[in-house]
Amino acid sequence: MNKLLSVIIVVLLAFMFFQNDGCTYIDKKSEIVTVHDTAWTVHDSLIIKKLKIKETIHDTVSTPPEYIADTSYPKLKAQYDSLVIVYLAKNIYTDTLKLDTLGYVAIADTVHKNNLQNRSYNYNYKIPTIHTTTTITKQAPSKGALFIGGGVIGTKQLELQTIQGGALYKSKRDKIFGLHIGLNNNSQVIYGVSSYWKIK
């Protein structure tokens, strides 16, 4: 009987060895955390351009009555003065182009002496830049653990039947193997082995 028990114990120890040290164990999955951060680059500037005449077209339609020279000098002088005021006036035209939700571009044209004197662009918009940060946290590999302890077994009448001690080994794969030795109330030595598997 003792030989059979010794063989069982050796077989169990060998099984424990090959389950944990003799086989490759895959660590727990790494934890991956991805963070998206948006930075906005603001563009704000004023650009003024001098424009050149590309083409001049003379109107061939008949001259409007208000522009026909009067034969009376005082009236002719009044016409001249009026045209000078119109000619030398600066007419400024503005328009704003909205760039969706990013901003805008404001355009201003200045007409002077019958010429488009200059054009200005005042733009203000922001461009998003998305930065992605990926953090990989590798979890610590599982380790085996060894426990020692003891216990007693009794009856419903609180009579002591067995007192025992033993050792439990928890493997990396959450399997538990145990060796026990005890003494019953007849002074007989009791041996035992055990094995447990995680089910949940």
Side-chain angles (χ1 to χ4, degrees), residues 71-84:
T71 56
S72 170
Y73 178 76
K75 291 183 179 180
L76 180 62
K77 178 71 166 50
Q79 284 182 321
Y80 173 80
D81 292 340
S82 177
L83 289 175
V84 168

Side-chain angles (χ1 to χ4, degrees), residues 17 31 46 56-57 64-65 77 83 100 119 121 123 129 135-136 139 142 147 157 183 195 199:
F17 171 78
E31 182 181 359
L46 175 63
T56 300
I57 299 176
K77 178 71 166 50
L83 289 175
D100 196 23
R119 169 173 292 173
Y121 300 90
Y123 59 83
T129 303
T135 303
I136 302 177
Q139 299 180 356
S142 299
F147 305 86
Q157 291 77 21
L183 190 67
S195 181
I199 59 175

Side-chain angles (χ1 to χ4, degrees), residues 40-47 95-107 120-128:
W40 294 87
T41 303
V42 178
H43 299 268
D44 187 359
S45 183
L46 175 63
I47 299 175
D95 191 13
T96 300
L97 305 178
K98 189 176 181 182
L99 305 177
D100 196 23
T101 59
L102 301 178
Y104 65 88
V105 176
I107 301 174
S120 66
Y121 300 90
N122 184 9
Y123 59 83
N124 186 303
Y125 60 90
K126 53 185 179 179
I127 302 298

Side-chain angles (χ1 to χ4, degrees), residues 35-94:
V35 179
H36 300 281
D37 184 25
T38 302
W40 294 87
T41 303
V42 178
H43 299 268
D44 187 359
S45 183
L46 175 63
I47 299 175
I48 299 177
K49 294 179 63 177
K50 291 287 185 181
L51 302 178
K52 295 181 179 180
I53 297 176
K54 181 179 180 181
E55 183 181 3
T56 300
I57 299 176
H58 295 282
D59 198 352
T60 58
V61 298
S62 59
T63 304
E66 61 270 23
Y67 294 129
I68 298 176
D70 200 292
T71 56
S72 170
Y73 178 76
K75 291 183 179 180
L76 180 62
K77 178 71 166 50
Q79 284 182 321
Y80 173 80
D81 292 340
S82 177
L83 289 175
V84 168
I85 292 174
V86 173
Y87 181 73
L88 295 180
K90 287 186 178 181
N91 297 314
I92 300 175
Y93 301 87
T94 63

